[in-house]
Amino acid sequence: MIWKKFNLFLLFRVLILYSIVISTGCGVRQTVSEYIGGVDNTTPPTPLINFIETADLNKIWSQDIGKGTDDSFAKIKPVISGNQIFIADTRGNVAALTMEAGKFIWRSDSRLPITGGPGVGTSLVMVGTSEGEILALSKETGNEVWRTKVSSEVLSSPGEADGVVIARTIDGKIFAIDANTGEHLWVYDRGVPALSLRGTSTPVIANGLVITGSDEGRLAVIELKTGKLVWEKKLALPRGKNELERMVDIDAQPLVIDETIYVTTFQANISALSLETGRIIWQRDISSHSELSADEKNLFVTDEDDNIWALNRYTGSSVWKQEKLAHRKITGPANFDNKIIVCDAEGYIHWLDKTTGDLTARTRPGDEPILSQPINSNEMVFVYSSSGLLSAYTFQDNEKKYLQRELSDQNKTPGSKEPAAKPKDSRNAYERSRRVRIDKEESMEKYENQENDNEEEKSLFGRFLNIFSDDSEEEVE
């Protein structure tokens, strides 16, 4: 009888363990270790370090959208189309804003529990819900066009191209839906393993194809119009002694550039493949479940331990690795001009030099976590926090300014005035970085010290003249 109760207790613990794994994602192995061991073994976030900020950050605008998301695997993040930015929240609000000023164009309250989106097509804005619905709104007005049921919860953004809406559900199905009517066209069913991370890879539509990752480490390419499988590739083999260690999920959205697909796999690798054939071009043993970004030379990725990497796009070789933000629950990196931008669970936005990976600036719009990858367009970067605050930033490098100031301090003569520096551009800003205020304080302190030195020099010179003055009361021995 006692043994039977013990077995039931073990079964109960296993069921709870499975629910923990399925409902979490980031730091799965740490979560399991905590539960089994009874102690908190979570690696604490790396403390922030001080550094010389070499970029001035300008907050252009911020807008309170509603209630954001604290679920790191619910793919709710802003999307840009033309000169507009579209965003949603978990309470059913969907909105369109002007990209330049953050002014609302329209707002729609669907009262649905949104967990994925928005996705933007030619004429539609689409979101998915935890109740297994796809809602399509007019891109121009925000009015509902149609809604349709799918098989289960939607944790990724729906997409649309050529009159077909593509949506991925948490049970492993890909639904193709008529963009005009909301009718189902075809379903691709890959299924899911018994144990996987909570979250799904957002499908990518490119060249008439749908590219999607699965929870078994497989990447599939499907014809958009027919649902026919073009090719499928196994990118990672399960390794380990138990189901937790053997998980090899693709949860991040693949990145397609020209004829190459880049994709990350949890507890496995980063891969580059040929879009046409599925041939593996290169692989690196780096575990990740975050979205990627890239420029013309390099691929940027955040790994499982929140280290940020720059890899050569064509060979996979390492260019640099930034480890000073480890265990801070870093988002996928955004590629913005000559900077790489990531956010963390304490609400900080970190700006890195794209060439070296060095930290160049840091700001904090609020203390709520930022879980979604920043996006950028038109010389601005947009950040959406879990509090529902959407903010737009731009920046200006100041390395040259510091070098010019240093040279000027070395060459200027006493009493000369330093010419006022001309601004690099005429962009408006409501908020300057802390570096500027520090510079002003240092300049003021330097000026006051110089004034004190001048007063001391005048006093000494006066005493020297008094020695030879008839009015001097001092006797010279």
Side-chain angles (χ1 to χ4, degrees):
M1 183 68 178
I2 295 175
W3 180 248
K4 182 177 181 181
K5 288 183 178 180
F6 181 72
N7 284 339
L8 289 174
F9 178 69
L10 282 179
L11 178 60
F12 180 69
R13 286 174 64 93
V14 169
L15 290 175
I16 293 179
L17 174 60
Y18 268 57
S19 66
I20 291 174
V21 174
I22 293 173
S23 64
T24 60
C26 187
V28 169
R29 287 176 291 191
Q30 292 176 353
T31 302
V32 173
S33 177
E34 292 173 38
Y35 180 76
I36 294 177
V39 295
D40 186 357
N41 293 325
T42 304
T43 304
T46 300
L48 296 177
I49 64 169
N50 295 322
F51 59 92
I52 297 176
E53 296 187 358
T54 57
D56 297 336
L57 307 183
N58 305 326
K59 181 187 284 186
I60 305 302
W61 56 261
S62 62
Q63 188 66 260
D64 186 6
I65 303 302
K67 179 67 173 69
T69 176
D70 55 5
D71 184 349
S72 60
F73 282 84
K75 303 292 177 62
I76 298 180
K77 70 176 188 177
V79 61
I80 294 168
S81 179
N83 60 355
Q84 298 178 3
I85 184 166
F86 300 86
I87 189 60
D89 75 0
T90 56
R91 293 178 178 173
N93 294 306
V94 186
L97 299 88
T98 62
M99 192 166 58
E100 293 296 330
K103 302 297 183 183
F104 284 106
I105 300 171
W106 55 258
R107 301 178 75 173
S108 175
D109 184 5
S110 68
R111 301 185 182 275
L112 295 174
I114 295 174
T115 49
V120 178
T122 306
S123 61
L124 298 177
V125 177
M126 301 145 293
V127 293
T129 76
S130 62
E131 297 175 349
E133 283 188 300
I134 303 296
L135 173 68
L137 305 176
S138 167
K139 187 177 177 182
E140 297 297 324
T141 65
N143 295 330
E144 181 175 333
V145 178
W146 51 259
R147 68 175 68 188
T148 188
K149 290 286 293 184
V150 289
S151 57
S152 62
E153 185 178 14
V154 179
L155 291 179
S156 59
S157 298
E160 186 267 329
D162 298 330
V164 180
V165 172
I166 295 296
R168 166 81 185 269
T169 55
I170 198 172
D171 59 358
K173 295 183 175 66
I174 303 290
F175 285 83
I177 304 165
D178 188 293
N180 296 316
T181 65
E183 295 180 357
H184 292 193
L185 301 176
W186 52 261
V187 178
Y188 176 81
D189 187 0
R190 193 65 183 81
V192 294
L195 188 63
S196 66
L197 296 180
R198 171 176 168 80
T200 56
S201 174
T202 299
V204 177
I205 304 174
N207 302 335
L209 302 171
V210 179
I211 301 100
T212 183
S214 73
D215 293 335
E216 296 177 328
R218 297 178 185 272
L219 187 71
V221 174
I222 308 162
E223 288 185 356
L224 176 64
K225 291 292 186 179
T226 66
K228 178 183 176 181
L229 180 66
V230 178
W231 57 260
E232 186 179 72
K233 195 76 171 183
K234 182 76 171 177
L235 297 181
L237 295 175
R239 295 173 293 184
K241 299 178 181 179
N242 55 56
E243 291 297 322
L244 295 175
E245 294 177 350
R246 293 171 64 82
M247 286 192 299
V248 283
D249 293 7
I250 298 177
D251 270 11
Q253 183 178 28
L255 178 65
V256 179
I257 304 177
D258 299 328
E259 297 298 320
T260 304
I261 307 171
Y262 302 93
V263 63
T264 61
T265 309
F266 177 66
Q267 295 191 145
N269 53 48
I270 299 173
S271 306
L273 302 90
S274 166
L275 174 61
E276 182 179 0
T277 64
R279 178 182 62 87
I280 296 177
I281 301 171
W282 57 259
Q283 286 186 317
R284 284 291 305 273
D285 288 333
I286 299 174
S287 170
S288 175
H289 49 73
S290 299
E291 270 71 23
L292 300 160
S293 65
D295 62 11
E296 62 278 1
K297 294 181 180 179
N298 296 325
L299 184 72
F300 305 101
V301 62
T302 301
D303 69 20
E304 178 190 1
D305 296 320
D306 301 313
N307 301 306
I308 305 153
W309 298 70
L311 306 177
N312 184 291
R313 257 181 56 190
Y314 305 100
T315 65
S317 60
S318 299
V319 178
W320 52 257
K321 180 183 180 182
Q322 173 57 261
E323 300 176 291
K324 294 177 181 178
L325 301 175
H327 309 296
R328 296 190 62 84
K329 296 184 179 179
I330 297 295
T331 65
N335 167 41
F336 180 41
D337 199 272
N338 62 354
K339 297 289 184 288
I340 294 300
I341 305 167
V342 296
C343 307
D344 70 23
E346 293 182 349
Y348 287 97
I349 308 172
H350 307 273
W351 301 59
L352 284 63
D353 184 278
K354 187 191 291 186
T355 304
T356 64
D358 294 333
L359 296 168
T360 65
R362 180 170 63 220
T363 189
R364 193 185 195 189
D367 56 5
E368 293 292 331
I370 303 174
L371 304 176
S372 62
Q373 181 185 31
I375 61 172
N376 63 279
S377 179
N378 196 28
E379 300 183 350
M380 287 189 289
V381 64
F382 303 91
V383 176
Y384 187 47
S385 76
S386 61
S387 67
L389 184 68
L390 179 64
S391 304
Y393 289 86
T394 187
F395 78 97
Q396 180 175 327
D397 283 324
N398 59 28
E399 292 100 333
K400 292 182 179 179
K401 180 170 61 178
Y402 290 136
L403 290 174
Q404 288 173 353
R405 183 185 296 116
E406 184 178 346
L407 292 173
S408 177
D409 289 341
Q410 293 175 358
N411 297 330
K412 67 181 180 182
T413 58
S416 64
K417 294 184 178 180
E418 185 176 355
K422 295 182 179 180
K424 184 176 179 180
D425 58 40
S426 58
R427 289 180 286 186
N428 293 325
Y430 299 132
E431 191 174 283
R432 298 299 294 169
S433 71
R434 292 168 294 170
R435 183 69 253 176
V436 175
R437 293 195 297 271
I438 294 172
D439 292 339
K440 289 181 179 179
E441 292 173 1
E442 290 178 349
S443 298
M444 183 60 68
E445 183 180 355
K446 187 182 296 182
Y447 176 77
E448 291 174 354
N449 292 337
Q450 185 176 353
E451 288 293 317
N452 293 334
D453 293 341
N454 290 340
E455 290 179 3
E456 291 179 2
E457 290 176 0
K458 289 179 181 179
S459 177
L460 291 172
F461 184 66
R463 293 182 61 187
F464 176 76
L465 290 179
N466 288 338
I467 294 175
F468 297 97
S469 172
D470 292 337
D471 298 333
S472 174
E473 297 179 1
E474 296 184 16
E475 295 181 359
V476 180
E477 296 181 359

